[in-house]
């Protein structure tokens, strides 16, 4: 049974296996991984996990260009299946191209409904954070993500050219109490 867990060093080996599945230069949506993060060594991985935890602390400053965000990993026992994050507010880049929520499922765990399940869980967390609607974006050719977003109430606002290429932009209204 999958669950959302806070990032943990316990899943280091499985996380590295997932990264290998994606490929060395692939962007792992929802993971919060920066190009300068050392995830190979145990010490570097632990520092990165701690950085993800700090990013959710609204009393602590975040790196330039970042916003406060909460990260969860989708795990089944000791197996890392993917990640999802909730950005607490939008800066100009996120409003244009990134959105409030990003997620990614490792290739070997896809087609199990994990993204939709995780998105539903995080929409609840967004309500607890006080958001009344959230923005999600995806590439126009990512039909699996389009289905996931629409199944969770996403309404297409537009397709626009952004700094990172064309993006479909969906808003999900958050109904209080659900």
């Amino acid at each position: 049974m999958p669950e959302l867990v806070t990032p943990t060093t316990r899943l280091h080996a499985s996380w590295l296996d997932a990264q290998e599945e994606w490929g060395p230069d692939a962007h792992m949506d929802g993971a919060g991984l920066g190009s300068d993060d050392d995830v190979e060594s145990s010490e570097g991985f632990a520092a990165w996990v701690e950085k993800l935890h700090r990013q959710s602390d609204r009393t602590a400053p975040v790196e330039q260009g970042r916003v406060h965000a909460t990260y969860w990993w989708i795990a089944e026992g000791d197996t890392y299946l993917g990640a999802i994050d909730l950005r607490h507010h939008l800066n100009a880049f996120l409003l244009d191209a990134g959105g409030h929520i990003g997620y990614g499922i490792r290739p070997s765990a896809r087609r199990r409904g994990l993204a939709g399940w995780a998105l539903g869980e995080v929409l609840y967390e967004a309500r607890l954070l006080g958001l009344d609607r959230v923005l999600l974006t995806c590439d126009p050719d990512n039909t699996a993500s389009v289905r996931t977003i629409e199944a969770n109430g996403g309404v297409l606002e537009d397709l626009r050219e952004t700094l990172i290429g064309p993006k479909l932009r969906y808003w999900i209204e958050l109904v209080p109490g659900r």
Side-chain angles (χ1 to χ4, degrees):
M1 188 81 170
E3 59 182 329
L4 293 182
V5 300
T6 58
T8 174
T9 57
R10 176 178 64 82
L11 296 176
H12 187 199
S14 183
W15 190 94
L16 288 173
D17 290 343
Q19 185 186 39
E20 197 171 298
E21 283 182 26
W22 261 295
D25 296 325
H27 176 72
M28 297 166 61
D29 289 322
L33 183 63
S35 59
D36 59 343
D37 290 317
D38 166 25
V39 293
E40 298 296 325
S41 73
S42 295
E43 298 79 20
F45 192 80
W48 176 59
V49 165
E50 179 56 33
K51 182 170 97 172
L52 295 179
H53 292 181
R54 276 193 318 273
Q55 206 165 332
S56 69
D57 180 355
R58 295 177 102 169
T59 65
V62 293
E63 296 174 24
Q64 184 159 354
R66 296 254 185 197
V67 299
H68 287 99
T70 304
Y71 292 89
W72 294 272
W73 289 352
I74 304 162
E76 205 163 44
D78 288 334
T79 303
Y80 171 91
L81 303 172
I84 188 164
D85 73 316
L86 171 61
R87 296 139 194 158
H88 299 184
H89 67 274
L90 300 176
N91 59 20
F93 171 77
L94 293 173
L95 179 61
D96 187 49
H100 284 98
I101 299 172
Y103 55 84
I105 306 297
R106 73 188 286 175
S108 64
R110 292 178 183 160
R111 300 186 190 279
R112 293 178 45 191
L114 293 169
W117 166 79
L119 178 54
E121 296 293 310
V122 171
L123 290 174
Y124 175 77
E125 296 292 333
R127 280 189 284 285
L128 293 178
L129 193 62
L131 300 175
D132 56 0
R133 68 183 193 146
V134 294
L135 175 67
L136 283 92
T137 69
C138 68
D139 293 341
D141 62 350
N142 188 342
T143 56
S145 198
V146 167
R147 282 193 305 269
T148 297
I149 295 167
E150 290 178 351
N152 277 278
V155 176
L156 181 64
E157 179 180 61
D158 62 14
L159 166 64
R160 68 175 61 170
E161 192 60 42
T162 73
L163 291 172
I164 56 174
K167 293 292 175 186
L168 293 170
R169 298 173 68 257
Y170 288 88
W171 288 94
I172 298 177
E173 298 291 330
L174 301 176
V175 179
R178 264 207 260 159

